[in-house]
């Protein structure tokens, strides 16, 4: 593998909490609550070992000014710059490495039918065009997508590797996938992003979580995500 992406327990926890809140209570202004995507910026550091770039992703800050909808989330570049200015003073040992966003789906069938754990073409296009993130991350920005759906039946499960670049885990009656991609410059200096499959990225999620059969998150709203399209 050319790239190793290691996600800290704190980062995983924060992304999961953000994704599940946006899923259950993302848009309360409508008569029927609908899920929305959410987005946050990610800080960490990078080093190289034996020709492999290793990214240690440590923490995130959810962007409350991002424009959130069910099928998309539009980042606020000014917010990214503002938060990074603060982080440069507060945690100068960390670098803005990229961002994460969520993909909400109604159920497991819909996720599988639409390969909802993948980055969309729009996701990858957005990363390629984000000059600020490329500059901060030293031409190796990282993008994460956390996909969430609700399970009809909850079985015993443990966190596992769905693919080398994608981790899978459940919390109560919610199923999650975390997918990672890395940007780089090709021989012609063109911006490229590793793909969803046959990826050069190995994702490592620190920590271990066991989800018991039958467990449900009792405080979760009865969500009615509209169908993607």
């Amino acid at each position: 593998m050319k790239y190793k992406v290691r996600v800290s327990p704190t980062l995983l926890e924060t992304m999961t909490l953000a994704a599940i809140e946006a899923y259950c209570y993302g848009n309360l202004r409508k008569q029927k609550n609908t899920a929305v995507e959410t987005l946050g910026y990610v800080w960490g550091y990078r080093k190289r070992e034996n020709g492999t770039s290793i990214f240690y992703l440590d923490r995130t800050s959810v962007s409350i000014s991002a424009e959130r909808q069910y099928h998309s989330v539009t980042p606020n570049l000014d917010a990214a710059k503002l938060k990074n200015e603060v982080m440069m003073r507060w945690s100068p040992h960390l670098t803005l490495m990229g961002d994460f966003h969520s993909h909400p789906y109604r159920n497991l069938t819909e996720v599988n039918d639409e390969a909802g754990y993948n980055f969309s073409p729009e996701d990858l296009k957005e990363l390629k065009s984000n000059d600020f993130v490329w500059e901060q991350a030293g031409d190796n920005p990282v993008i994460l997508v956390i996909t969430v759906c609700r399970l009809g039946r909850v079985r015993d499960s443990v966190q596992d590797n769905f693919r080398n670049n994608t981790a899978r885990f459940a919390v109560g009656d919610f199923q999650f996938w975390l997918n990672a991609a890395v940007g780089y410059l090709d021989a012609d200096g063109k911006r490229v992003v590793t793909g969803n499959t046959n990826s050069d990225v190995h994702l490592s999620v620190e920590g271990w979580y066991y989800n018991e059969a039958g467990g449900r998150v009792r405080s979760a709203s009865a969500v009615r995500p509209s169908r993607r399209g």
Side-chain angles (χ1 to χ4, degrees), residues 53-209:
S53 294
I54 305 175
F55 303 87
Y56 297 87
L57 305 184
D58 184 67
R59 66 190 69 171
T60 186
S61 175
V62 176
S63 178
I64 63 173
S65 59
E67 184 179 338
R68 305 182 304 167
Q69 299 180 40
Y70 178 61
H71 60 281
S72 67
V73 59
T74 304
N76 178 354
L77 181 58
D78 289 335
K81 293 178 178 179
L82 172 65
K83 292 188 175 192
N84 195 48
E85 286 283 337
V86 174
M87 288 294 290
M88 288 171 63
R89 292 161 173 78
W90 204 326
S91 299
H93 60 292
L94 298 179
T95 299
L96 179 65
M97 301 306 299
D99 61 35
F100 86 90
H101 70 283
S102 63
H103 282 177
Y105 282 88
R106 293 187 296 181
N107 50 54
L108 186 58
T109 298
E110 188 173 277
V111 173
N112 290 330
D113 287 348
E114 301 184 20
Y117 36 74
N118 283 341
F119 293 101
S120 69
E122 291 76 17
D123 293 338
L124 303 181
K125 182 179 179 180
E126 168 65 28
L127 179 62
K128 291 178 183 179
S129 66
N130 194 328
D131 295 336
F132 178 69
V133 171
W134 281 80
E135 176 184 345
Q136 298 303 312
D139 290 334
N140 270 143
V142 179
I143 185 174
L144 302 168
V145 61
I146 183 166
T147 299
V148 54
C149 75
R150 203 156 196 172
L151 296 170
R153 181 179 179 184
V154 184
R155 299 177 174 86
D156 288 325
S157 65
V158 294
Q159 177 183 300
D160 67 349
N161 290 328
F162 180 69
R163 295 185 303 216
N164 59 283
N165 60 327
T166 308
R168 174 174 54 188
F169 60 97
V171 180
D173 50 329
F174 290 90
Q175 182 75 48
F176 297 88
W177 296 258
L178 181 65
N179 189 355
V182 176
Y184 62 95
L185 300 178
D186 66 12
D188 298 322
K190 182 181 179 181
R191 290 176 180 176
V192 183
V193 182
T194 59
N196 288 301
T197 58
N198 300 319
S199 174
D200 286 326
V201 175
H202 177 78
L203 176 64
S204 174
V205 177
E206 298 181 15
W208 183 87
Y209 183 75

